Amino acid sequence: MTYPTLDYLGVLTAQEIASAQPLTFKTYVPTGTYPTTWDLEASTITGQPNAILHDLFSFTAVEDVTYDIFSFSFFDPFLIRLYDNLGRVIAVDQESAGTYGMDHLSQFVAPYSGTMYVDAGWNQGYADANKYVSLYINADLDTIPKPTNTLIGTDGADRFAATKSSDLVNGYKGIDTMVYGGKRADYNIVKNADMLTVSSNVKHEGTDVLRSVEKLVFADSVADLQYGDLTQALYIGYFGRAADVGGLKSFQDQLAKLGAPTSANDLSERYAKDAAVKNLIDSFGTSAESKALYSGDTNTFVKAIYHNVLNRDADQAGLDFWSKAIDSGSLTRANASLSILAGAQTNSSAQGLNDALLVNNKISVASNFTFGLETDGKEASYNSLGAAAVARDLLKSVTALTDANTFQSTVKQAVAGLPAVARNAPDHADDLPLAHFDAPAIELNGIDGHLASPLFA
């Protein structure tokens, strides 16, 4: 969990940290003057003349607990400063007009469990009288998230709202929706097979685990996941990379408008019967990215698809079969790529089962890469020769044994390491292929240069 620091106020020295006086919490006893919602209180009071020289205290905070801190001195305290365990200022009171002689740091929610330091900011003045000062730290434990909620959907379309606790959600059947209060970039989303893990990087809302939830609604956008796996699979199979954010959303929208099936195998069957689906899939093969990637003969193309999908060379029989089908015109390159992908996911042989695990792991990692582009604000950075190479190299390192959750640190490093923005979307609008005759452009050309990958040299 990250949290802001007020670096302009300075950092505690090691000597200051060592000199901090520890405070211990006890059960809060209501006095009738202040609210009774507090559960614990730590306090200190003294009339020593030089108390202002020793007004730094330490206490053990608990993550998600809400704290109210009161500082009293005859003269109005200067400023309450709250420091983290590294001595950085993470909160101060607002010095609003109120009771003279008292400052109040209100409703601070601890971002972690561990040591914190508070500077009471006492002001004893220069007179010999009225030297009494005090500090009170009150804790409300009720703000700690409750235990995990388990939410089960029905056969219909269900709508769930995220809580401050961890939510375990199974939408079951129907098109189900999970609603979050923050913006899309406020959340980390990690896919692992059929499970999504969603956690906020700005609030304490627990960690949600979602299954069979097709839509995520945020304050500023909607993520439709119904065709997410299929679209990522198509990008992996044909381009060897994760989808860019714009291309993913655009292609998903087109599939939804066509009422297309959500599996590669069913889509491959639909390809032969539905001209609109055929044109949509063939748009991969007519894109500028495709022309840049596959300038060689058919054998070279088939070998590349095998590496994209399966991380290995094509067996001779498979190479001959797919090359002949493409050269004869019975299959387009795009449909051959789709068919190879579908076969890898449905083959029940020992090799086929291993291939299916590999493909599904690649889909998870590719999805997490695209999710990461949104979370880290890197959408525009995924648009260059170097960016394409980063994404392809990432997927090449995935195996049938890869666990997407533990692999997530590698994904985050890849996203963080994307090169600087090359150009904006309007600059390449003319390059976009069309799904079919009267359809809007599909953004398959999120990447400019694609010849750097050694796979296609």
Side-chain angles (χ1 to χ4, degrees):
M1 173 64 63
T2 59
Y3 49 87
T5 58
L6 307 178
D7 298 329
Y8 65 90
L9 291 175
V11 179
L12 292 176
T13 65
Q15 183 177 359
E16 288 172 324
I17 289 176
S19 69
Q21 305 170 68
L23 297 179
T24 303
F25 284 97
K26 298 179 180 179
T27 301
Y28 171 72
V29 179
T31 63
T33 303
Y34 292 103
T36 60
T37 56
W38 295 318
D39 300 293
L40 303 174
E41 181 177 78
S43 63
T44 183
I45 183 170
T46 181
Q48 293 296 319
N50 295 316
I52 59 174
L53 301 178
H54 308 283
D55 62 351
L56 182 67
F57 301 88
S58 66
F59 67 96
T60 301
V62 177
E63 184 176 356
D64 291 327
V65 167
T66 298
Y67 294 90
D68 284 291
I69 303 176
F70 298 88
S71 180
F72 295 88
S73 58
F74 182 77
F75 295 99
D76 202 43
F78 295 111
L79 186 70
I80 298 175
R81 303 188 189 197
L82 187 63
Y83 300 84
D84 66 7
N85 60 338
L86 299 178
R88 302 173 299 183
V89 179
I90 55 176
V92 296
D93 70 82
Q94 298 302 308
E95 289 287 350
S96 58
T99 304
Y100 186 81
M102 185 269 282
D103 275 11
H104 178 202
L105 198 165
S106 174
Q107 298 288 297
F108 174 79
V109 180
Y112 65 87
S113 292
T115 301
M116 291 186 182
Y117 302 92
V118 57
D119 184 337
W122 290 327
N123 182 2
Q124 291 179 297
Y126 296 102
D128 292 332
N130 302 313
K131 294 297 185 182
Y132 276 96
V133 290
S134 58
L135 177 72
Y136 297 85
I137 305 175
N138 297 316
D140 182 3
L141 304 182
D142 296 331
T143 57
I144 298 177
K146 302 299 185 292
T148 299
N149 299 314
T150 300
L151 308 173
I152 304 297
T154 66
D155 288 349
D158 300 298
R159 190 177 181 89
F160 306 99
T163 69
K164 291 184 67 175
S165 304
S166 295
D167 300 314
L168 182 61
V169 182
N170 189 335
Y172 199 49
K173 298 180 180 179
I175 305 300
D176 305 306
T177 302
M178 188 74 174
V179 181
Y180 289 93
K183 297 180 179 180
R184 166 62 191 88
D186 294 343
Y187 296 87
N188 293 307
I189 305 175
V190 179
K191 175 179 170 57
N192 190 359
D194 65 343
M195 179 179 71
L196 282 181
T197 302
V198 183
S199 58
S200 173
N201 53 34
V202 297
K203 295 182 179 179
H204 300 278
E205 297 180 351
T207 299
D208 298 342
V209 177
L210 315 178
R211 284 185 169 88
S212 298
V213 173
E214 288 74 27
K215 290 185 179 181
L216 303 180
V217 175
F218 301 98
D220 59 347
S221 62
V222 176
D224 191 339
L225 310 175
Q226 188 178 6
Y227 290 100
D229 285 6
L230 179 57
T231 303
Q232 289 288 2
L234 291 169
Y235 270 80
I236 293 166
Y238 203 87
F239 295 138
R241 64 172 175 89
D244 50 285
V245 174
L248 178 69
K249 292 180 178 179
S250 182
F251 207 84
Q252 284 177 305
D253 288 345
Q254 290 295 321
L255 289 169
K257 289 176 183 177
L258 296 175
T262 57
S263 76
N265 189 60
D266 292 341
L267 187 66
S268 182
E269 292 183 4
R270 177 88 169 263
Y271 177 94
K273 307 172 185 176
D274 190 322
V277 168
K278 180 180 184 301
N279 284 325
L280 178 60
I281 299 305
D282 286 350
S283 65
F284 277 93
T286 59
S287 68
E289 179 171 1
S290 173
K291 294 173 183 177
L293 278 173
Y294 307 121
S295 57
D297 61 15
T298 304
N299 277 1
T300 302
F301 170 80
V302 173
K303 289 177 181 178
I305 299 303
Y306 263 78
H307 276 276
N308 288 350
V309 176
L310 305 174
N311 286 0
R312 59 179 168 84
D313 293 331
D315 58 281
Q316 191 60 49
L319 178 62
D320 292 342
F321 173 83
W322 295 112
S323 296
K324 182 178 180 180
I326 294 171
D327 288 338
S328 68
S330 61
L331 284 179
T332 64
R333 287 189 170 193
N335 191 32
S337 172
L338 174 61
S339 299
I340 293 170
L341 177 70
Q345 291 183 301
T346 57
N347 189 333
S348 60
S349 69
Q351 180 64 59
L353 294 176
N354 191 72
D355 288 343
L357 286 173
L358 172 60
V359 171
N360 289 335
N361 287 342
K362 283 194 171 191
I363 290 172
S364 292
V365 170
S367 299
N368 294 337
F369 183 89
T370 308
F371 288 143
L373 296 175
E374 292 185 287
T375 300
D376 294 350
K378 287 277 195 171
E379 298 100 316
S381 296
Y382 189 40
N383 182 27
S384 68
L385 187 74
V390 168
R392 291 193 181 99
D393 288 343
L394 179 71
L395 291 177
K396 288 176 190 175
S397 66
V398 175
T399 72
L401 300 178
T402 296
D403 178 85
N405 287 330
T406 58
F407 196 74
Q408 182 62 11
S409 59
T410 304
V411 174
K412 291 182 70 67
Q413 289 176 1
V415 173
L418 288 175
V421 176
R423 59 176 185 164
N424 295 321
D427 297 330
H428 59 82
D430 293 337
D431 298 336
L432 305 180
L434 296 178
H436 49 90
F437 303 116
D438 57 352
I442 297 176
E443 296 185 55
L444 297 180
N445 281 56
I447 305 298
D448 260 348
H450 313 280
L451 296 180
S453 174
L455 178 61
F456 309 110

